[in-house]
Amino acid sequence: MPPWLIVVLVAAGLVALGAILYWQLIIAEGVYLGQRVVTWLYDLAARRYDDIKQYDDDMEAVFLGRPLADMLRPVPGALVLDIATGTGRLPLALFEQPAFRGRVIGVDASRSMLEIAAQKLRGNEHRLMLLWRDASSLPFADGAFDAVTVLEMLEFTPDPATQLAEAVRVLRPGGILVTTRRRGWNAALMPGKTHSPDEFRALLESLGLTRVELLPWQVDYDLVWAVKPGHVPSGARHMLDVLHCPACRSAQWEEHPAELCCGVCHAAYPVKDGIIDIRGKQ
Ligand SMILES: C[S@@+](CC[C@H](N)C(=O)[O-])C[C@H]1O[C@@H](n2cnc3c(N)ncnc32)[C@H](O)[C@@H]1O
């Protein structure tokens, strides 16, 4: 083989490898390589995440904080679950709203993302609980929350439909789901993880949700609102009342400075820097 052909083949191989790595690690954020890779990438990027995203406080208020706070206005002490809370975008947007008098539980698989959230939300400990856990199974009872939010996360999970079903499970009848649909040119590069508007609406309706509304939002995402039909009144509760021990499912807790202990099976979950490590045996 002539040397020039070897050079061309090696160069083509390197370009192809670079393209595959860019696709798998940057666009798909590791989702086809498994949850551990997704979490590892977020742990690596956590300190730069907010600089990359450049969220605008006014836009966050207009699209997220204010509409959700308004919808929750009739529910004093509303309890909100933010699945994949990341650096605390949703709790920050809600706590900025004077109309919001409720509490937020944020769950994320990336410890480093949660550390940033905890720093940004310092002073809100009375109305915020941060849980370190893979959200594919949620340690909460059915119908525990008045609203559940799942922003910019579904396409990074093994099965978006299963993750949505788990979100709907913990939403009370009459509660609000806010989520996102990946859009834009790179959505096509995530087969099996993204949906057309019609497919996404049908998916939410197949999970029993009604009043599904898809709104164009960011370059890469539609913002999606839906309601779980029925009406069960909100039981304004303490955040620990809805948290179930992953080991024995009990909701009896003993709070210690550095750990949360199950009052029934005595499993201990470390608490550090305002983050509860509730991973248990997942
Ligand atoms: C693009 S960020 C979005 C963060 C936040 N929701 C926002 O809108 O700024 C995706 C987040 O999903 C989290 N995540 C991905 N898979 C997860 C899983 N299975 N369980 C919990 N969090 C997960 C990542 O750690 C990351 O913080």
Side-chain angles (χ1 to χ4, degrees):
M1 194 184 293
W4 65 265
L5 186 56
I6 295 175
V7 171
V8 168
L9 288 176
V10 168
L14 287 175
V15 169
L17 183 65
I20 289 170
L21 286 177
Y22 184 80
W23 169 41
Q24 288 294 319
L25 299 180
I26 307 295
I27 292 177
E29 299 189 8
V31 68
Y32 298 106
L33 306 173
Q35 181 65 51
R36 276 167 197 252
V37 178
V38 174
T39 303
W40 174 69
L41 289 173
Y42 275 102
D43 278 336
L44 282 184
R47 305 225 158 260
R48 287 176 291 120
Y49 184 82
D50 285 354
D51 288 338
I52 296 167
K53 288 294 204 173
Q54 295 277 328
Y55 292 129
D56 176 288
D57 290 348
D58 292 338
M59 297 305 270
E60 295 295 287
V62 168
F63 286 96
L64 284 179
R66 208 170 299 149
L68 188 52
D70 283 348
M71 289 174 91
L72 291 172
R73 210 185 276 263
V75 187
L79 198 50
V80 178
L81 173 66
D82 185 30
I83 297 175
T85 198
T87 58
R89 171 195 206 169
L90 190 278
L92 275 167
L94 265 183
F95 294 159
E96 285 292 309
Q97 296 301 316
F100 182 71
R101 298 291 176 85
R103 286 147 297 164
V104 180
I105 298 181
V107 182
D108 204 283
S110 161
R111 167 101 206 174
S112 303
M113 293 289 274
L114 287 171
E115 283 168 7
I116 306 283
Q119 285 162 21
K120 287 162 62 182
L121 285 152
R122 197 161 287 147
N124 288 287
E125 289 75 10
H126 58 294
R127 54 180 177 168
L128 175 74
M129 184 188 269
L130 293 174
L131 303 180
W132 181 19
R133 181 177 175 87
D134 182 332
S136 53
S137 69
L138 294 165
F140 308 110
D142 295 359
F145 294 91
D146 301 298
V148 176
T149 54
V150 196
L151 303 177
E152 302 193 18
M153 181 256 196
L154 292 173
E155 69 274 27
F156 305 122
T157 60
D159 181 8
T162 307
Q163 182 63 62
L164 266 177
E166 183 65 348
V168 174
R169 179 185 71 76
V170 299
L171 186 62
R172 77 165 162 81
I176 303 155
L177 179 86
V178 190
T179 188
T180 48
R181 184 191 76 86
R182 184 74 178 244
R183 56 183 280 166
W185 66 271
N186 54 19
L189 296 176
M190 301 184 70
K193 306 291 177 189
T194 56
H195 304 83
S196 71
D198 286 348
E199 287 168 350
F200 202 67
R201 180 183 297 278
L203 172 58
L204 292 178
E205 288 173 353
S206 75
L207 295 171
L209 297 170
T210 56
R211 290 161 56 189
V212 177
E213 241 189 299
L214 279 77
L215 307 170
W217 183 35
Q218 302 173 162
V219 178
D220 285 332
Y221 290 100
D222 285 338
L223 191 60
V224 183
W225 297 77
V227 172
K228 186 166 175 174
H231 179 69
V232 169
S234 170
R237 293 135 299 183
H238 186 273
M239 291 178 285
L240 276 183
D241 294 342
V242 299
L243 180 63
H244 285 187
C245 170
C248 75
R249 306 286 305 154
S250 124
Q252 290 177 39
W253 295 104
E254 291 161 11
E255 285 184 84
H256 303 289
E259 61 184 23
L260 188 62
C261 256
C262 174
V264 173
C265 75
H266 306 294
Y269 301 97
V271 181
K272 189 162 173 270
D273 302 327
I275 299 163
I276 304 173
D277 175 357
I278 194 95
R279 288 171 300 165
K281 290 195 189 96
Q282 281 196 285

Coordinates of all heavy atoms in Angstrom, one line a residue, residues 68-142:
L68 N -45.6 28.5 37.1 CA -45.8 27.4 38.0 C -46.3 27.9 39.3 O -47.2 27.3 39.9 CB -44.5 26.6 38.1 CG -44.6 25.3 38.9 CD1 -45.7 24.4 38.4 CD2 -43.2 24.5 38.9
A69 N -45.7 29.0 39.8 CA -46.2 29.6 41.1 C -47.6 30.0 41.0 O -48.4 29.7 42.0 CB -45.3 30.8 41.5
D70 N -48.0 30.5 39.9 CA -49.4 30.9 39.7 C -50.4 29.7 39.7 O -51.4 29.7 40.4 CB -49.7 31.7 38.4 CG -49.2 33.1 38.5 OD1 -48.9 33.6 39.6 OD2 -49.0 33.8 37.4
M71 N -50.0 28.6 39.1 CA -50.8 27.4 39.0 C -50.9 26.8 40.4 O -51.9 26.1 40.7 CB -50.3 26.4 38.0 CG -50.5 26.9 36.6 SD -49.7 25.8 35.4 CE -51.1 24.7 35.1
L72 N -49.8 27.0 41.2 CA -49.8 26.4 42.6 C -50.4 27.3 43.6 O -50.5 26.9 44.8 CB -48.4 26.0 42.9 CG -47.8 24.8 42.1 CD1 -46.3 24.6 42.4 CD2 -48.6 23.5 42.4
R73 N -50.8 28.5 43.2 CA -51.3 29.5 44.2 C -52.5 28.9 45.0 O -52.5 29.2 46.2 CB -51.8 30.7 43.4 CG -51.6 32.0 44.2 CD -52.3 33.2 43.4 NE -51.3 33.7 42.5 CZ -50.6 34.8 42.7 NH1 -50.7 35.4 43.8 NH2 -49.8 35.3 41.8
P74 N -53.4 28.2 44.4 CA -54.5 27.6 45.3 C -54.1 26.5 46.2 O -54.9 26.0 47.0 CB -55.5 27.0 44.3 CG -55.0 27.4 42.9 CD -53.6 27.8 43.0
V75 N -52.8 26.1 46.2 CA -52.3 25.0 47.0 C -51.3 25.6 48.0 O -50.1 25.6 47.8 CB -51.6 23.9 46.1 CG1 -51.3 22.7 47.0 CG2 -52.4 23.6 44.9
P76 N -51.8 26.0 49.2 CA -50.8 26.5 50.2 C -49.8 25.4 50.6 O -50.3 24.3 50.8 CB -51.7 27.0 51.4 CG -53.1 26.6 51.0 CD -53.1 25.9 49.7
G77 N -48.6 25.8 50.7 CA -47.6 24.8 51.1 C -47.4 23.7 50.1 O -47.1 22.5 50.4
A78 N -47.5 24.0 48.8 CA -47.4 23.0 47.7 C -46.1 22.3 47.8 O -45.0 22.9 48.1 CB -47.6 23.7 46.4
L79 N -46.1 21.0 47.5 CA -44.9 20.2 47.5 C -44.5 19.9 46.1 O -45.3 19.3 45.3 CB -45.1 18.9 48.3 CG -43.9 18.2 48.8 CD1 -42.9 19.1 49.5 CD2 -44.4 17.0 49.7
V80 N -43.3 20.3 45.6 CA -42.9 20.1 44.3 C -41.7 19.2 44.2 O -40.7 19.3 45.0 CB -42.4 21.5 43.7 CG1 -41.9 21.4 42.2 CG2 -43.6 22.5 43.7
L81 N -41.7 18.3 43.3 CA -40.5 17.4 43.1 C -39.8 17.8 41.8 O -40.5 17.9 40.7 CB -40.9 15.9 43.0 CG -39.8 15.0 42.6 CD1 -38.7 14.9 43.7 CD2 -40.3 13.6 42.2
D82 N -38.5 18.1 41.8 CA -37.8 18.5 40.6 C -36.8 17.3 40.3 O -35.8 17.2 41.0 CB -37.0 19.8 40.8 CG -36.3 20.2 39.5 OD1 -36.8 19.9 38.4 OD2 -35.2 20.9 39.6
I83 N -37.2 16.5 39.4 CA -36.4 15.4 39.0 C -35.2 15.9 38.1 O -35.4 16.6 37.2 CB -37.2 14.3 38.2 CG1 -38.3 13.8 39.1 CG2 -36.4 13.2 37.7 CD1 -39.3 12.8 38.4
A84 N -34.0 15.5 38.4 CA -32.8 15.9 37.8 C -32.6 17.5 37.9 O -32.6 18.2 37.0 CB -32.8 15.6 36.3
T85 N -32.6 17.8 39.2 CA -32.6 19.3 39.5 C -31.3 20.0 39.1 O -31.3 21.2 39.0 CB -32.8 19.4 41.0 OG1 -33.2 20.8 41.3 CG2 -31.6 19.1 41.9
G86 N -30.2 19.2 38.8 CA -29.0 19.8 38.3 C -28.5 20.9 39.3 O -28.3 20.6 40.5
T87 N -28.2 22.1 38.8 CA -27.6 23.1 39.6 C -28.7 24.0 40.2 O -28.5 25.1 40.6 CB -26.6 24.0 38.8 OG1 -27.4 24.5 37.7 CG2 -25.4 23.2 38.3
G88 N -29.9 23.4 40.3 CA -31.0 24.1 41.1 C -31.8 25.1 40.3 O -32.4 26.0 40.9
R89 N -31.8 24.9 39.0 CA -32.6 25.9 38.2 C -34.0 26.1 38.6 O -34.5 27.2 38.8 CB -32.5 25.4 36.8 CG -33.4 26.1 35.8 CD -33.5 25.3 34.5 NE -33.8 26.2 33.4 CZ -33.8 25.8 32.2 NH1 -33.5 24.6 31.9 NH2 -34.1 26.7 31.2
L90 N -34.8 25.0 38.8 CA -36.2 25.1 39.0 C -36.5 25.6 40.4 O -37.3 26.6 40.6 CB -36.9 23.7 38.8 CG -38.4 23.6 38.8 CD1 -39.0 23.5 40.1 CD2 -39.0 24.7 38.0
P91 N -35.8 25.1 41.5 CA -36.1 25.7 42.8 C -35.7 27.2 42.9 O -36.5 28.0 43.5 CB -35.2 24.8 43.8 CG -34.4 23.9 43.0 CD -35.0 23.8 41.6
L92 N -34.6 27.5 42.2 CA -34.3 29.0 42.2 C -35.4 29.8 41.6 O -35.8 30.8 42.1 CB -33.0 29.2 41.4 CG -31.7 29.0 42.1 CD1 -30.5 28.9 41.2 CD2 -31.5 30.1 43.1
A93 N -35.9 29.3 40.4 CA -36.9 30.1 39.7 C -38.2 30.2 40.6 O -38.9 31.2 40.6 CB -37.3 29.4 38.4
L94 N -38.5 29.1 41.3 CA -39.7 29.1 42.1 C -39.6 30.0 43.3 O -40.5 30.8 43.7 CB -40.1 27.7 42.5 CG -41.1 26.9 41.7 CD1 -41.4 25.6 42.3 CD2 -42.4 27.7 41.5
F95 N -38.4 29.9 44.0 CA -38.2 30.6 45.2 C -38.1 32.1 45.0 O -38.3 32.9 45.9 CB -37.0 30.1 46.0 CG -37.1 28.7 46.5 CD1 -35.9 28.0 46.8 CD2 -38.3 28.1 46.7 CE1 -36.0 26.7 47.3 CE2 -38.4 26.8 47.2 CZ -37.2 26.1 47.5
E96 N -37.8 32.5 43.8 CA -37.8 34.0 43.4 C -39.3 34.5 43.4 O -39.4 35.7 43.4 CB -37.3 34.1 42.0 CG -35.8 34.0 41.9 CD -35.1 35.1 42.6 OE1 -35.4 36.3 42.3 OE2 -34.2 34.8 43.4
Q97 N -40.3 33.6 43.3 CA -41.6 34.1 43.2 C -42.3 34.3 44.6 O -42.5 33.3 45.3 CB -42.5 33.1 42.4 CG -42.0 32.9 41.0 CD -42.1 34.2 40.2 OE1 -43.0 34.9 40.3 NE2 -41.0 34.5 39.5
P98 N -42.7 35.5 44.9 CA -43.3 35.7 46.2 C -44.6 34.9 46.4 O -45.0 34.5 47.5 CB -43.7 37.2 46.2 CG -42.9 37.8 45.1 CD -42.5 36.7 44.2
A99 N -45.3 34.6 45.3 CA -46.5 33.8 45.4 C -46.3 32.3 45.8 O -47.2 31.6 46.2 CB -47.2 33.8 44.0
F100 N -45.0 31.9 45.6 CA -44.7 30.5 45.9 C -44.4 30.3 47.4 O -43.4 30.8 47.9 CB -43.6 29.9 45.1 CG -43.3 28.5 45.3 CD1 -44.2 27.5 44.9 CD2 -42.2 28.1 46.0 CE1 -44.0 26.2 45.1 CE2 -42.0 26.7 46.3 CZ -42.9 25.8 45.8
R101 N -45.3 29.6 48.1 CA -45.1 29.4 49.6 C -44.8 27.9 49.9 O -45.0 27.5 51.0 CB -46.4 29.8 50.3 CG -46.7 31.3 50.2 CD -45.6 32.1 50.9 NE -45.9 33.6 50.7 CZ -46.7 34.3 51.4 NH1 -47.4 33.7 52.4 NH2 -46.8 35.6 51.2
G102 N -44.4 27.2 48.8 CA -44.3 25.7 49.1 C -42.8 25.3 49.3 O -42.0 26.1 49.6
R103 N -42.6 24.0 49.1 CA -41.3 23.4 49.2 C -40.9 22.6 48.0 O -41.8 22.1 47.3 CB -41.3 22.6 50.5 CG -41.3 23.4 51.8 CD -42.0 22.7 52.9 NE -43.4 22.6 52.5 CZ -44.3 21.7 53.1 NH1 -43.9 21.0 54.1 NH2 -45.5 21.6 52.7
V104 N -39.6 22.4 47.8 CA -39.1 21.7 46.6 C -38.2 20.6 47.1 O -37.3 20.8 47.9 CB -38.4 22.6 45.7 CG1 -37.9 21.8 44.4 CG2 -39.3 23.8 45.2
I105 N -38.4 19.4 46.6 CA -37.4 18.3 46.7 C -36.7 18.2 45.4 O -37.4 18.0 44.4 CB -38.0 17.0 47.2 CG1 -38.7 17.2 48.5 CG2 -37.0 15.9 47.2 CD1 -39.4 15.9 49.1
G106 N -35.4 18.3 45.4 CA -34.6 18.1 44.1 C -33.8 16.8 44.2 O -33.2 16.5 45.2
V107 N -33.9 16.0 43.1 CA -33.2 14.8 43.0 C -32.2 14.8 41.8 O -32.6 15.3 40.8 CB -34.2 13.6 42.8 CG1 -33.4 12.3 42.8 CG2 -35.3 13.6 43.8
D108 N -31.0 14.4 42.0 CA -30.1 14.3 40.9 C -29.1 13.2 41.1 O -28.7 12.9 42.3 CB -29.4 15.6 40.7 CG -28.9 15.7 39.2 OD1 -27.9 15.1 38.9 OD2 -29.6 16.5 38.4
A109 N -28.6 12.6 40.0 CA -27.7 11.5 40.1 C -26.2 12.0 40.2 O -25.3 11.3 40.6 CB -27.8 10.6 38.9
S110 N -26.0 13.3 39.9 CA -24.7 13.9 39.9 C -24.5 14.6 41.2 O -25.1 15.7 41.5 CB -24.5 14.8 38.7 OG -23.4 15.6 39.0
R111 N -23.6 14.1 42.0 CA -23.2 14.8 43.3 C -22.7 16.2 43.1 O -23.0 17.2 43.8 CB -22.2 13.9 44.1 CG -21.5 14.6 45.2 CD -22.1 14.1 46.5 NE -21.9 15.1 47.5 CZ -22.4 15.1 48.7 NH1 -23.2 14.1 49.1 NH2 -22.1 16.1 49.6
S112 N -21.9 16.4 42.0 CA -21.2 17.7 41.8 C -22.3 18.7 41.4 O -22.2 19.9 41.7 CB -20.1 17.5 40.7 OG -19.2 16.6 41.1
M113 N -23.2 18.3 40.6 CA -24.3 19.2 40.2 C -25.1 19.6 41.5 O -25.4 20.8 41.6 CB -25.3 18.6 39.2 CG -24.6 18.3 37.8 SD -24.3 19.7 36.8 CE -25.9 20.0 36.0
L114 N -25.4 18.7 42.3 CA -26.1 19.0 43.6 C -25.3 20.0 44.5 O -25.9 20.8 45.2 CB -26.5 17.7 44.3 CG -27.6 16.9 43.7 CD1 -27.7 15.5 44.4 CD2 -28.9 17.6 43.7
E115 N -24.0 19.8 44.5 CA -23.2 20.7 45.3 C -23.3 22.1 44.9 O -23.4 23.0 45.7 CB -21.7 20.2 45.3 CG -21.5 19.0 46.2 CD -20.1 18.4 46.0 OE1 -19.3 18.9 45.2 OE2 -19.9 17.3 46.6
I116 N -23.3 22.3 43.6 CA -23.5 23.7 43.1 C -24.9 24.2 43.5 O -25.1 25.4 43.9 CB -23.4 23.8 41.5 CG1 -22.1 23.1 41.1 CG2 -23.6 25.2 41.0 CD1 -20.9 24.0 41.2
A117 N -25.9 23.3 43.3 CA -27.3 23.7 43.7 C -27.3 24.1 45.2 O -27.9 25.1 45.5 CB -28.3 22.6 43.4
A118 N -26.7 23.3 46.0 CA -26.7 23.6 47.5 C -26.1 24.9 47.8 O -26.6 25.7 48.6 CB -26.0 22.5 48.2
Q119 N -25.0 25.3 47.1 CA -24.3 26.6 47.3 C -25.2 27.7 46.9 O -25.4 28.7 47.6 CB -23.0 26.7 46.5 CG -21.9 25.9 47.0 CD -20.8 25.6 46.0 OE1 -20.7 26.3 45.0 NE2 -20.0 24.6 46.2
K120 N -25.8 27.6 45.7 CA -26.7 28.7 45.1 C -28.0 28.9 46.0 O -28.5 30.0 46.0 CB -27.1 28.3 43.7 CG -25.9 28.5 42.7 CD -26.1 27.8 41.4 CE -27.3 28.4 40.6 NZ -27.5 27.6 39.4
L121 N -28.4 27.8 46.6 CA -29.7 27.9 47.3 C -29.5 27.9 48.8 O -30.5 27.7 49.6 CB -30.5 26.6 46.9 CG -31.1 26.7 45.5 CD1 -31.3 25.3 44.9 CD2 -32.4 27.5 45.5
R122 N -28.3 28.3 49.3 CA -28.1 28.4 50.7 C -29.1 29.4 51.3 O -29.4 30.4 50.7 CB -26.6 28.8 51.0 CG -26.2 28.6 52.4 CD -24.7 28.6 52.5 NE -24.0 27.4 51.9 CZ -22.9 27.4 51.3 NH1 -22.2 28.5 51.2 NH2 -22.4 26.3 50.8
G123 N -29.6 29.0 52.5 CA -30.6 29.9 53.2 C -32.0 29.4 52.9 O -32.9 29.9 53.5
N124 N -32.2 28.4 52.0 CA -33.5 27.9 51.7 C -33.7 26.5 52.3 O -34.7 25.8 51.9 CB -33.7 27.9 50.2 CG -33.9 29.2 49.6 OD1 -34.9 29.9 49.8 ND2 -32.8 29.7 48.9
E125 N -32.9 26.1 53.3 CA -33.0 24.8 53.7 C -34.3 24.4 54.3 O -34.7 23.2 54.3 CB -31.9 24.5 54.8 CG -30.4 24.5 54.3 CD -29.9 25.9 53.9 OE1 -30.5 26.9 54.3 OE2 -28.8 25.9 53.3
H126 N -35.1 25.4 54.8 CA -36.4 25.1 55.4 C -37.4 24.7 54.4 O -38.4 24.2 54.7 CB -36.9 26.3 56.2 CG -37.0 27.6 55.3 ND1 -35.9 28.2 54.8 CD2 -38.1 28.2 54.9 CE1 -36.3 29.2 54.0 NE2 -37.6 29.3 54.1
R127 N -37.1 25.0 53.1 CA -38.0 24.7 52.0 C -37.4 24.0 50.8 O -38.0 23.9 49.7 CB -38.7 26.0 51.5 CG -37.8 27.1 51.1 CD -38.6 28.3 50.6 NE -37.7 29.4 50.2 CZ -38.1 30.4 49.6 NH1 -39.3 30.6 49.2 NH2 -37.2 31.4 49.3
L128 N -36.3 23.4 51.1 CA -35.6 22.7 50.0 C -34.9 21.4 50.6 O -34.3 21.5 51.6 CB -34.5 23.5 49.4 CG -33.6 22.9 48.4 CD1 -34.4 22.6 47.1 CD2 -32.3 23.7 48.1
M129 N -35.1 20.3 49.9 CA -34.3 19.1 50.2 C -33.6 18.6 49.0 O -34.3 18.5 47.9 CB -35.3 18.1 50.8 CG -34.7 16.8 51.2 SD -35.9 15.6 51.6 CE -36.2 15.9 53.3
L130 N -32.3 18.3 49.1 CA -31.6 17.8 47.9 C -31.2 16.4 48.1 O -30.6 16.1 49.1 CB -30.3 18.7 47.7 CG -30.6 20.1 47.2 CD1 -29.3 20.9 47.2 CD2 -31.3 20.2 45.9
L131 N -31.6 15.5 47.2 CA -31.4 14.1 47.3 C -30.4 13.6 46.2 O -30.7 13.9 45.0 CB -32.7 13.3 47.2 CG -33.8 13.7 48.2 CD1 -35.0 12.8 48.0 CD2 -33.3 13.5 49.7
W132 N -29.4 12.9 46.6 CA -28.5 12.3 45.6 C -28.9 10.9 45.3 O -28.8 10.0 46.2 CB -27.1 12.3 46.3 CG -26.0 11.8 45.4 CD1 -26.0 11.7 44.0 CD2 -24.7 11.3 45.8 NE1 -24.8 11.1 43.6 CE2 -24.0 10.9 44.6 CE3 -24.1 11.2 47.0 CZ2 -22.7 10.4 44.7 CZ3 -22.8 10.7 47.1 CH2 -22.1 10.4 45.9
R133 N -29.4 10.7 44.1 CA -30.0 9.5 43.7 C -30.3 9.4 42.2 O -30.7 10.4 41.7 CB -31.3 9.3 44.5 CG -32.0 8.0 44.3 CD -33.2 7.8 45.1 NE -33.9 6.6 44.7 CZ -33.6 5.4 45.2 NH1 -32.7 5.2 46.1 NH2 -34.3 4.3 44.8
D134 N -30.1 8.2 41.7 CA -30.6 8.0 40.3 C -32.2 8.0 40.4 O -32.8 7.3 41.2 CB -30.1 6.6 39.9 CG -30.6 6.3 38.4 OD1 -31.6 6.8 38.0 OD2 -29.8 5.5 37.8
A135 N -32.8 8.9 39.6 CA -34.2 9.1 39.7 C -35.0 8.0 38.9 O -36.2 8.2 38.8 CB -34.6 10.5 39.1
S136 N -34.4 7.0 38.4 CA -35.2 6.0 37.7 C -36.2 5.3 38.6 O -37.2 4.8 38.2 CB -34.3 5.0 37.0 OG -33.4 4.4 37.9
S137 N -35.8 5.2 39.9 CA -36.8 4.7 40.9 C -36.8 5.8 42.0 O -35.8 6.2 42.5 CB -36.5 3.4 41.4 OG -35.4 3.4 42.2
L138 N -38.0 6.3 42.3 CA -38.1 7.4 43.2 C -38.6 7.0 44.6 O -39.6 6.2 44.6 CB -39.1 8.5 42.7 CG -38.6 9.2 41.4 CD1 -39.7 9.9 40.7 CD2 -37.4 10.1 41.7
P139 N -38.0 7.3 45.6 CA -38.3 6.8 47.0 C -39.5 7.6 47.6 O -39.4 8.2 48.7 CB -37.0 7.0 47.8 CG -36.4 8.2 47.2 CD -36.8 8.2 45.7
F140 N -40.6 7.7 46.8 CA -41.8 8.4 47.3 C -43.0 7.6 47.1 O -43.1 6.8 46.1 CB -41.9 9.8 46.6 CG -40.7 10.6 46.6 CD1 -39.9 10.8 45.5 CD2 -40.2 11.2 47.8 CE1 -38.8 11.6 45.5 CE2 -39.1 12.0 47.8 CZ -38.3 12.2 46.7
A141 N -44.0 7.9 47.9 CA -45.3 7.2 47.7 C -46.0 7.7 46.4 O -45.7 8.8 45.9 CB -46.2 7.5 48.9
D142 N -47.0 6.9 45.9 CA -47.8 7.4 44.8 C -48.5 8.7 45.2 O -49.0 8.8 46.3 CB -48.9 6.3 44.5 CG -48.3 5.0 44.0 OD1 -47.1 4.9 43.9 OD2 -49.1 4.1 43.8

